Amino acid sequence: LEANLESHFNMPYPKYELLLCVEDDQDPAINLVNKLKKRYPTTECRLFIGGKDGILNPMVHNMAPGYEAAKYDIIWVSTSRIKASVDILLDMVGKIRSPQVALVHQMPYTTDQKGVAAAVEKVYFGTSVARYYLAFHTLGISCFTGMSYLVKKPELDALNGLGWFGRFLAEDFFIAKFLHQKGFRH
């Protein structure tokens, strides 16, 4: 977690804010975030503790306050398992600048972790899912996994914002579906 979060704090990206969201004030990540905020005082970072009531999806519940406080029109949703890369982020931002695109996702990538579940996940995302994504996008079918994606906030807000999608456990599927139905590519 520290390596992943630190990769977000020390990105040599021109202008961004980190909006880090945790479920409650007992989350052990809070101490780590505070440590990184001291280590990188020039990185604009806000920590949101506690979610937004009435949201079923646990991840969206946690992220809703940060999303609502975001000051930029492009939001990068990145789970704690994602390591930041300026090259990948610049590529994603370059693609989302198109008026026809409202969402850009990163192919899920996993590193070596211990355990059978981690090995199965790595094989699954590295083989099957990658092929499905390429085929689906070629056919114009909306499909993505919400581990790391950019979304145009004004377009998502026009669909009632991120919190509204918290009624679904698969919020990523429905965000993509609704944006696709509005005529956007991703």
Side-chain angles (χ1 to χ4, degrees):
L1 178 62
E2 183 170 358
N4 290 352
L5 286 180
E6 188 166 25
S7 72
H8 289 76
F9 273 89
N10 65 16
M11 274 196 312
Y13 192 79
K15 191 173 185 178
Y16 67 98
E17 63 178 338
L18 291 178
L19 306 171
L20 304 173
C21 307
V22 297
E23 184 175 357
D24 58 46
D25 61 2
Q26 300 304 306
D27 194 309
I30 293 172
N31 291 333
L32 174 59
V33 169
N34 289 330
K35 181 172 108 176
L36 290 169
K37 285 173 74 171
K38 286 180 185 172
R39 190 180 302 163
Y40 299 97
T42 60
T43 299
E44 186 178 349
C45 176
R46 289 186 278 167
L47 176 62
F48 295 84
I49 300 172
K52 186 172 181 179
D53 291 337
I55 296 179
L56 172 72
N57 181 306
M59 187 175 83
V60 176
H61 173 268
N62 290 350
M63 290 186 335
Y67 174 87
E68 291 171 0
K71 64 182 181 180
Y72 296 113
D73 284 343
I74 297 175
I75 305 291
W76 182 19
V77 174
S78 176
T79 64
S80 61
R81 296 175 56 211
I82 298 296
K83 199 169 194 177
S85 162
V86 173
D87 292 337
I88 290 172
L89 185 56
L90 287 171
D91 182 53
M92 292 169 68
V93 168
K95 288 173 174 55
I96 204 165
R97 293 205 185 276
S98 167
Q100 296 86 21
V101 176
L103 183 140
V104 175
H105 67 99
Q106 177 181 352
M107 181 65 70
Y109 175 77
T110 57
T111 58
D112 291 327
Q113 301 289 322
K114 293 179 182 174
V116 174
V120 169
E121 180 181 64
K122 184 174 183 178
V123 170
Y124 176 69
F125 280 121
T127 59
S128 299
V129 172
R131 288 185 297 203
Y132 294 146
Y133 275 8
L134 294 172
F136 288 160
H137 286 295
T138 300
L139 296 171
I141 298 170
S142 174
C143 176
F144 91 104
T145 302
M147 296 165 84
S148 175
Y149 65 94
L150 292 180
V151 64
K152 288 180 178 173
K153 190 173 190 296
E155 299 304 339
L156 190 54
D157 286 346
L159 295 171
N160 299 313
L162 179 66
W164 187 86
F165 287 93
R167 66 188 63 212
F168 306 109
L169 289 178
E171 89 293 340
D172 48 1
F173 169 82
F174 287 100
I175 288 170
K177 177 182 177 180
F178 281 60
L179 288 171
H180 197 255
Q181 286 175 345
K182 283 186 69 176
F184 290 106
R185 293 178 38 239
H186 54 270

